[in-house]
Amino acid sequence: MDESRDWGDERDEFRPRRWGRWGCAAAIVTLVVAVVAFFWLERRHEQRQLAQMIDPLGLIHPPQASSDAPRRQFSESRGALGEFLGVDACRDCHAERVESFAETAHFRTSQVATRDNVAGSFERGRDGYQSIDEALRFVMDAEDGLRQTAVVSHEGEAFEYSAPFDVVLGTAKSAQSFLFWRESHLYQLPLSYSAQLDSWTKSPGYPAGLAIFSRAVSSGCLRCHVTFVAEREDAWNSFDRETAIWGISCERCHGPGRDHVAYHQRVGKVGDLAADPIVNLEALPIERQLEICAQCHAGTGEFLRPPFAYRPGEELAGFIRQEPQEEQSLVVHSTNQLARLRLSKCFLSSAAMTCSTCHDVHRHESSDRQLASKKCRQCHQVEDCPPAVRLGSRGRENCIDCHLPTARDQQADLATADAVVYPLMRDHRVAVYPEIAARFESADTSADE
Ligand code: HEC
Ligand code: HEC
Ligand code: HEC
Ligand code: HEC
Ligand code: HEC
Ligand code: HEC
Ligand code: HEC
């Protein structure tokens, strides 16, 4: 190649000479800005129009499949279809365990909606919700399937948009949210349910005074509330609906059941864990055991692999890059039980404490403080705790309210037109909290609720 060749001159041939280099760059930048601004304004306009198609005030925002973001690509296949079987496939050989597990919040955390599992009321008088915007109210009805309808009243006319309750998320321990399908696309309904208020409330994070039906629900949300659902490529909220295994099955903690079931169908009900394809959890290092729960109880983060790709026994760090645990706050959806537990002397001073030390996830134990206190007494004597001794059975049977106090999850705001509540969560940093203890001791009943 001729080293002395003047590349600059050659490029100049393609340049409008009158403007000079910088003029040209400025023109291109201006053009790009103009085009972007044009499309942005167009979209804004289109969104407004879409909203106004339904009501003249533009309060109702219907779903728009066209603007749901494209799905993020990974080098690995999303796979897993057919690997997860759901708990019914375990019943033949683990009948008792399946039966008790069916009562748990894990198993019931997502379900196809029915009148029985939607906690909010469809009764006359309690089936409505008045938004802070006087023109907007919601009504629930169970006449033609379960539906949530936004009604905007303007100059004597009523404008409506309605969507079905298709999926229920949550057991209503503190709340429930509801999802609906539009073809393969999944969205959240604008109203949720708060157990504390026993009423319909605005879904967490929704702007007040609007009826937003356009919030897309991604695998980032579903992966903690369903066992598995096959993801479609066309959008991040698009799924093969009939593949969904609702609820969290045994398999999210023990690994997919397909190979294990096939193995036992072949060899019979013999016990040989070494040859059995099921993951032997108790043989895993403590960190790997903790990470099985940390999939869903240690906050969110950036996916390094597809959302349903993690398998028990693997290192969680290779699957998701989570926020540093010390920086996680006490919020429901950075559910940070693990981060807080790690700060406890109980955890730091025991060689092998896991979540299972205090929780048997195979049965429904929710909010049973007496049972939970028994688990403390596996390692502690009541005599080690002067207040517990003073309080007698009230202290002995409830180590929990003084040592794992509750705090409100500030990110999960559940609001009606005149109240906002935040779910109560246990702080898993087991410690001495003198003020909370003093309040508990001086009160006639337990410190919270
Ligand atoms: C055809 C019978 C059969 C079916 C169906 C079956 N299992 Fe098992 N499973 C067994 C037998 C037998 C054992 C005990 C021997 C062993 O551990 O290999 C076992 C053991 C297990 C263990 C214990 C492993 C350990 O670490 O001790 C788990 C977990 C398990 N099964 C989960 C499941 C799940 C989840 C399903 C449903 C997806 C399922 N099994 C379906 C027969 C079955
Ligand atoms: C796939 C996600 C996922 C995994 C894995 C998981 N959890 Fe959960 N867990 C949840 C969700 C979601 C809820 C909330 C259920 C509800 O109330 O709707 C929950 C609730 C709970 C509760 C409260 C139950 C109640 O009745 O109040 C406990 C305790 C719990 N999990 C412990 C664990 C432990 C221990 C592990 C690991 C052995 C674990 N979880 C693994 C998602 C998960
Ligand atoms: C990182 C896992 C994770 C993600 C992502 C997640 N959740 Fe949860 N969710 C949980 C856990 C764990 C709980 C139980 C709270 C607790 O007690 O720790 C929960 C609780 C809830 C509850 C209250 C359940 C009850 O019985 O009171 C609702 C409703 C809920 N989630 C809805 C959603 C929705 C909607 C999304 C997506 C927009 C979502 N969650 C995303 C893990 C997750
Ligand atoms: C939330 C996570 C989780 C879910 C869901 C779960 N398990 Fe487990 N399982 C564990 C953990 C952790 C252990 C080991 C510690 C223990 O025994 O609690 C275990 C232990 C076991 C064992 C062997 C140890 C023993 O106690 O005999 C069997 C068998 C088992 N599980 C079966 C099941 C079946 C069947 C289901 C569904 C019906 C299921 N598990 C659901 C987490 C889970
Ligand atoms: C597996 C054993 C184990 C279990 C279960 C356990 N702890 Fe501990 N806990 C310990 C150990 C070990 C220490 C550290 C003792 C020491 O430093 O002298 C500790 C320390 C504590 C302390 C002192 C904390 C501090 O910061 O000074 C309190 C309070 C406590 N535990 C309460 C509880 C309560 C309440 C429960 C039940 C919810 C519980 N523990 C369950 C082992 C356990
Ligand atoms: C030292 C005992 C102990 C350990 C270890 C422990 N928990 Fe808990 N956990 C409790 C107690 C006590 C409660 C409150 C009783 C209840 O409401 O069921 C609780 C409640 C919960 C709840 C219900 C939500 C809430 O805030 O009320 C979840 C979810 C939970 N624990 C998850 C976990 C996970 C995940 C781990 C492991 C990282 C873990 N726990 C380890 C004692 C423990
Ligand atoms: C009324 C609230 C309250 C109740 C109930 C309670 N504790 Fe405590 N606990 C405290 C306070 C406050 C301290 C520190 C008091 C002190 O040092 O005199 C303490 C101290 C302790 C310690 C010793 C911590 C250390 O510094 O060594 C342990 C262990 C402990 N409690 C465990 C328990 C267990 C287990 C239960 C249930 C059987 C229980 N506590 C019930 C408030 C309570």
Side-chain angles (χ1 to χ4, degrees), residues 350-391:
S350 328
M353 183 178 264
T354 65
C355 310
S356 303
T357 306
C358 300
H359 296 290
D360 180 354
V361 292
H362 302 99
R363 57 194 80 250
H364 179 65
E365 299 185 327
S366 185
S367 305
D368 186 341
R369 281 171 277 207
Q370 200 173 343
L371 177 64
S373 303
K374 238 185 229 158
K375 306 210 176 165
C376 312
R377 299 200 305 266
Q378 291 166 34
C379 302
H380 296 291
Q381 311 286 322
V382 178
E383 291 68 39
D384 298 338
C385 173
V389 172
R390 282 200 296 276
L391 286 166

Coordinates of all heavy atoms in Angstrom, one line a residue, residues 350-391:
S350 N -23.1 -19.4 63.8 CA -23.4 -20.8 63.7 C -22.7 -21.3 62.4 O -22.6 -20.6 61.4 CB -24.9 -21.1 63.5 OG -25.6 -20.1 64.2
A351 N -22.3 -22.6 62.4 CA -21.5 -23.1 61.3 C -22.4 -23.3 60.1 O -22.0 -23.1 58.9 CB -20.8 -24.4 61.7
A352 N -23.7 -23.7 60.3 CA -24.5 -24.2 59.2 C -25.9 -23.7 59.2 O -26.8 -24.4 58.9 CB -24.4 -25.7 59.2
M353 N -26.1 -22.4 59.6 CA -27.5 -21.9 59.5 C -27.9 -21.6 58.1 O -27.2 -21.0 57.3 CB -27.6 -20.6 60.4 CG -29.0 -20.1 60.4 SD -29.2 -18.7 61.4 CE -29.7 -19.4 63.0
T354 N -29.1 -22.2 57.7 CA -29.7 -21.8 56.4 C -31.1 -21.3 56.7 O -31.5 -21.3 57.9 CB -29.7 -23.1 55.5 OG1 -30.7 -24.0 56.1 CG2 -28.4 -23.7 55.3
C355 N -31.8 -21.0 55.7 CA -33.2 -20.6 55.9 C -34.0 -21.8 56.5 O -34.9 -21.5 57.2 CB -33.8 -20.2 54.5 SG -32.8 -19.0 53.6
S356 N -33.6 -23.0 56.1 CA -34.3 -24.1 56.6 C -34.2 -24.4 58.1 O -34.9 -25.2 58.7 CB -33.9 -25.4 55.9 OG -34.1 -25.3 54.5
T357 N -33.2 -23.7 58.7 CA -33.0 -23.8 60.2 C -34.3 -23.4 60.9 O -34.8 -23.9 61.9 CB -31.9 -23.0 60.7 OG1 -30.7 -23.4 59.9 CG2 -31.6 -23.2 62.2
C358 N -34.9 -22.3 60.3 CA -36.2 -21.8 60.9 C -37.4 -22.0 60.1 O -38.5 -21.8 60.6 CB -36.0 -20.3 61.1 SG -34.6 -19.8 62.2
H359 N -37.3 -22.4 58.8 CA -38.5 -22.5 58.0 C -38.5 -23.9 57.4 O -37.6 -24.4 56.7 CB -38.4 -21.5 56.8 CG -38.5 -20.1 57.2 ND1 -39.7 -19.6 57.7 CD2 -37.6 -19.1 57.2 CE1 -39.4 -18.3 58.0 NE2 -38.2 -18.0 57.7
D360 N -39.6 -24.6 57.6 CA -39.9 -25.9 56.8 C -40.8 -25.5 55.7 O -42.0 -25.3 55.9 CB -40.5 -26.9 57.7 CG -40.7 -28.2 56.9 OD1 -40.5 -28.2 55.7 OD2 -41.2 -29.2 57.5
V361 N -40.2 -25.4 54.5 CA -41.0 -24.9 53.4 C -41.9 -25.9 52.8 O -42.7 -25.6 51.9 CB -40.0 -24.4 52.2 CG1 -39.3 -23.2 52.6 CG2 -39.1 -25.5 51.8
H362 N -41.9 -27.1 53.4 CA -42.9 -28.2 52.9 C -44.2 -28.1 53.5 O -45.1 -28.8 53.2 CB -42.2 -29.5 53.1 CG -40.9 -29.7 52.4 ND1 -39.7 -29.5 53.1 CD2 -40.6 -29.9 51.1 CE1 -38.7 -29.7 52.2 NE2 -39.2 -29.9 51.0
R363 N -44.4 -27.2 54.6 CA -45.7 -27.1 55.2 C -46.0 -25.6 55.4 O -45.1 -24.8 55.4 CB -45.8 -27.9 56.4 CG -44.8 -27.6 57.5 CD -44.7 -28.7 58.6 NE -44.0 -29.8 58.1 CZ -44.5 -31.0 57.9 NH1 -45.7 -31.2 58.0 NH2 -43.7 -32.0 57.4
H364 N -47.3 -25.3 55.6 CA -47.7 -24.0 55.9 C -47.5 -23.6 57.3 O -48.1 -24.1 58.2 CB -49.2 -23.9 55.6 CG -49.8 -22.6 55.8 ND1 -49.4 -21.5 55.0 CD2 -50.7 -22.1 56.7 CE1 -50.1 -20.4 55.5 NE2 -50.9 -20.8 56.4
E365 N -46.5 -22.7 57.5 CA -46.2 -22.3 58.9 C -46.4 -20.8 59.1 O -46.0 -20.3 60.1 CB -44.7 -22.6 59.1 CG -44.3 -24.0 59.0 CD -42.8 -24.2 59.4 OE1 -42.0 -23.3 59.1 OE2 -42.5 -25.3 59.9
S366 N -46.9 -20.1 58.1 CA -47.0 -18.7 58.1 C -47.4 -18.0 59.4 O -48.4 -18.4 60.0 CB -48.0 -18.3 57.0 OG -48.0 -16.9 56.9
S367 N -46.6 -17.1 59.8 CA -47.0 -16.2 61.0 C -47.2 -16.9 62.3 O -47.8 -16.4 63.2 CB -48.2 -15.3 60.7 OG -48.0 -14.6 59.5
D368 N -46.7 -18.2 62.4 CA -46.9 -18.9 63.6 C -45.7 -18.6 64.5 O -44.7 -19.2 64.5 CB -47.0 -20.4 63.3 CG -47.3 -21.2 64.6 OD1 -47.1 -20.7 65.7 OD2 -47.7 -22.4 64.4
R369 N -45.8 -17.6 65.4 CA -44.7 -17.1 66.2 C -44.3 -18.1 67.3 O -43.2 -18.2 67.7 CB -45.0 -15.8 66.8 CG -44.9 -14.6 65.8 CD -45.4 -13.3 66.3 NE -46.8 -13.3 66.1 CZ -47.5 -12.1 65.9 NH1 -46.8 -11.0 66.0 NH2 -48.8 -12.1 65.7
Q370 N -45.3 -18.9 67.7 CA -45.1 -19.9 68.7 C -44.1 -21.0 68.1 O -43.1 -21.4 68.8 CB -46.4 -20.5 69.2 CG -46.3 -21.2 70.5 CD -47.7 -21.6 71.0 OE1 -48.7 -21.2 70.5 NE2 -47.7 -22.5 71.9
L371 N -44.5 -21.4 67.0 CA -43.7 -22.4 66.3 C -42.3 -21.9 66.0 O -41.3 -22.5 66.2 CB -44.4 -22.9 65.0 CG -43.6 -23.9 64.1 CD1 -43.5 -25.2 64.8 CD2 -44.4 -24.1 62.8
A372 N -42.2 -20.6 65.5 CA -41.0 -20.0 65.2 C -40.1 -19.9 66.4 O -38.9 -20.1 66.4 CB -41.2 -18.6 64.5
S373 N -40.7 -19.6 67.6 CA -39.9 -19.4 68.8 C -39.3 -20.7 69.2 O -38.3 -20.8 69.8 CB -40.8 -18.9 69.9 OG -41.4 -17.6 69.5
K374 N -40.0 -21.8 68.9 CA -39.5 -23.2 69.2 C -38.2 -23.3 68.5 O -37.2 -24.0 69.0 CB -40.5 -24.2 68.7 CG -40.9 -25.1 69.8 CD -41.8 -26.2 69.3 CE -43.1 -26.3 70.1 NZ -44.2 -27.0 69.4
K375 N -38.1 -22.8 67.2 CA -36.9 -23.0 66.4 C -35.7 -22.2 67.1 O -34.6 -22.6 67.0 CB -37.2 -22.6 65.0 CG -38.4 -23.3 64.5 CD -38.4 -23.6 63.0 CE -39.6 -24.5 62.7 NZ -39.9 -24.5 61.3
C376 N -36.0 -21.0 67.7 CA -35.0 -20.3 68.4 C -34.5 -21.1 69.5 O -33.3 -21.1 69.8 CB -35.5 -19.0 69.0 SG -36.5 -18.0 67.8
R377 N -35.4 -21.8 70.2 CA -35.0 -22.6 71.4 C -34.2 -23.9 71.0 O -33.7 -24.5 72.0 CB -36.2 -22.9 72.2 CG -36.9 -21.6 72.7 CD -37.8 -21.8 73.9 NE -38.8 -22.8 73.7 CZ -40.0 -22.6 73.3 NH1 -40.4 -21.3 73.1 NH2 -40.9 -23.5 73.1
Q378 N -34.1 -24.2 69.7 CA -33.1 -25.2 69.3 C -31.7 -24.9 69.8 O -30.9 -25.7 70.1 CB -33.1 -25.4 67.8 CG -34.3 -26.0 67.1 CD -34.2 -25.8 65.6 OE1 -33.2 -25.8 65.0 NE2 -35.4 -25.5 65.0
C379 N -31.4 -23.6 69.8 CA -30.1 -23.1 70.1 C -30.0 -22.2 71.3 O -28.9 -22.1 71.9 CB -29.5 -22.3 68.9 SG -29.4 -23.2 67.4
H380 N -31.1 -21.6 71.8 CA -31.1 -20.7 72.9 C -31.9 -21.3 74.0 O -33.0 -21.9 73.8 CB -31.6 -19.3 72.5 CG -30.8 -18.7 71.5 ND1 -29.5 -18.2 71.8 CD2 -31.0 -18.4 70.2 CE1 -29.0 -17.6 70.7 NE2 -29.9 -17.7 69.7
Q381 N -31.6 -20.9 75.2 CA -32.4 -21.2 76.4 C -33.2 -19.9 76.7 O -32.6 -18.8 76.6 CB -31.5 -21.5 77.6 CG -30.4 -22.5 77.4 CD -31.0 -23.9 77.3 OE1 -31.9 -24.2 78.1 NE2 -30.4 -24.7 76.4
V382 N -34.4 -20.1 77.2 CA -35.1 -18.9 77.7 C -34.3 -18.1 78.7 O -34.3 -16.9 78.7 CB -36.5 -19.3 78.2 CG1 -37.3 -18.1 78.7 CG2 -37.3 -20.1 77.2
E383 N -33.6 -18.9 79.5 CA -32.8 -18.3 80.6 C -31.7 -17.3 80.1 O -31.2 -16.4 80.8 CB -32.1 -19.4 81.5 CG -33.1 -20.2 82.3 CD -34.0 -21.1 81.4 OE1 -33.5 -21.6 80.4 OE2 -35.2 -21.2 81.8
D384 N -31.3 -17.4 78.8 CA -30.3 -16.5 78.2 C -30.9 -15.1 78.0 O -30.2 -14.2 77.8 CB -29.8 -17.0 76.9 CG -29.1 -18.3 76.9 OD1 -28.7 -18.7 78.1 OD2 -29.1 -19.0 75.9
C385 N -32.2 -15.0 78.2 CA -32.9 -13.8 77.8 C -33.7 -13.2 79.0 O -34.8 -13.7 79.3 CB -33.8 -14.0 76.6 SG -34.8 -12.5 76.3
P386 N -33.1 -12.2 79.7 CA -33.8 -11.8 80.9 C -35.2 -11.3 80.6 O -36.1 -11.7 81.4 CB -32.9 -10.6 81.4 CG -31.5 -10.9 80.8 CD -31.8 -11.6 79.5
P387 N -35.5 -10.5 79.6 CA -36.9 -10.1 79.4 C -37.8 -11.3 79.2 O -39.0 -11.3 79.7 CB -36.8 -9.3 78.1 CG -35.5 -8.8 78.0 CD -34.6 -9.9 78.6
A388 N -37.4 -12.3 78.5 CA -38.2 -13.5 78.3 C -38.5 -14.2 79.6 O -39.7 -14.7 79.8 CB -37.6 -14.5 77.3
V389 N -37.6 -14.2 80.5 CA -37.8 -14.8 81.8 C -38.8 -14.0 82.5 O -39.8 -14.6 83.1 CB -36.5 -14.9 82.6 CG1 -36.7 -15.3 84.0 CG2 -35.5 -15.9 81.9
R390 N -38.7 -12.7 82.5 CA -39.6 -11.8 83.2 C -41.1 -12.0 82.7 O -42.0 -12.0 83.4 CB -39.3 -10.3 83.0 CG -38.1 -9.9 83.9 CD -38.1 -8.3 84.0 NE -37.9 -7.6 82.7 CZ -36.6 -7.4 82.2 NH1 -35.6 -7.8 82.8 NH2 -36.5 -6.7 81.1
L391 N -41.2 -12.2 81.4 CA -42.5 -12.2 80.8 C -43.2 -13.5 80.8 O -44.4 -13.6 80.5 CB -42.4 -11.7 79.3 CG -42.2 -10.2 79.1 CD1 -41.8 -10.0 77.7 CD2 -43.4 -9.5 79.5

